[in-house]
Amino acid sequence: MARGIDLPETVPLFPLPGAVLMPRTRLPLQIFEPRYLQMVEDVLKTPSRLIGMIQPAEGGLDSLASVGCAGRIVAFSELDDGRLMISLRARSRFRLNEVRPGFTPYLRGQVNWSGYEGDLALQPEEDPRFDRKGFMARLGRYMEQRGLSTDWDAAEASEAETLVNSLSMLLPFAPEEKQALLEAPVLAGRRELLEGLLEYALHGGDNEETIQ
């Protein structure tokens, strides 16, 4: 069953290289640029409170990726220096049809939500072929190689979707690799791609230029 929310035709866009919002996850953000402070102020006045997270294509703001993910502001705090701390909870991915001109200092996009109805489902997506033991072993080798740490107890206890989507957001993959993970239509495909990226890194297939 999908959540009963209205998805607007147009959403404010927050282009941020290397930052993706996956289905049924949360993304904390620190806002300090004036145009995005204005965006948050405007969004908080809307019923949906949605911001469209999207990556610049080829690292430039003149061209945006074709797929992003909208998140609803569910937490908000203001720091003494004027910065804002917000948390977005994912609602749905979208396809960007066009950037709409307007009088706001930030971009707004006309978007299409069709094809991502599963993102609105109340229950997490399942991956029947998920080999948790093998996946965790590969992840452990990757983390050790990179000198990274994690809460292994929490990782072991988490559902497959939570684990795969969180790692897709948090691991230091290149922006184009994160975009590919975002665009994977279903969880099984995203998990297979994630496993491939981990294996590629373990065999020395990447270099410093692909790391954020």
Side-chain angles (χ1 to χ4, degrees), residues 81-112:
D81 59 5
R83 289 176 297 150
L84 298 178
M85 302 297 295
I86 67 172
S87 178
L88 297 181
R89 182 173 64 204
R91 284 302 197 189
S92 175
R93 285 171 289 175
F94 60 82
R95 292 192 178 277
L96 178 63
N97 290 339
E98 63 176 347
V99 175
R100 286 282 179 88
F103 298 103
T104 60
Y106 50 87
L107 301 176
R108 298 180 62 83
Q110 194 273 324
V111 301
N112 183 349

Side-chain angles (χ1 to χ4, degrees), residues 66-135:
S66 60
V67 175
C69 184
R72 177 179 172 85
I73 298 178
V74 293
F76 165 89
S77 63
E78 185 174 4
L79 304 180
D80 292 339
D81 59 5
R83 289 176 297 150
L84 298 178
M85 302 297 295
I86 67 172
S87 178
L88 297 181
R89 182 173 64 204
R91 284 302 197 189
S92 175
R93 285 171 289 175
F94 60 82
R95 292 192 178 277
L96 178 63
N97 290 339
E98 63 176 347
V99 175
R100 286 282 179 88
F103 298 103
T104 60
Y106 50 87
L107 301 176
R108 298 180 62 83
Q110 194 273 324
V111 301
N112 183 349
W113 306 96
S114 63
Y116 298 113
E117 290 79 9
D119 291 0
L120 295 169
L122 291 172
Q123 298 300 320
E125 191 176 355
E126 296 183 357
D127 181 1
R129 299 182 63 184
F130 179 51
D131 174 12
R132 181 179 290 269
K133 183 178 179 180
F135 181 89

Side-chain angles (χ1 to χ4, degrees), residues 22-25 93 118-119 121-127 130 132 158-168 186-187 190-191:
M22 295 289 177
R24 281 174 290 279
T25 63
R93 285 171 289 175
D119 291 0
L122 291 172
Q123 298 300 320
E125 191 176 355
E126 296 183 357
D127 181 1
F130 179 51
R132 181 179 290 269
S158 63
E159 295 176 329
E161 185 189 56
T162 300
L163 180 64
V164 170
N165 286 354
S166 297
L167 290 171
S168 297
V186 297
L187 178 62
R190 184 173 304 119
R191 185 260 306 161

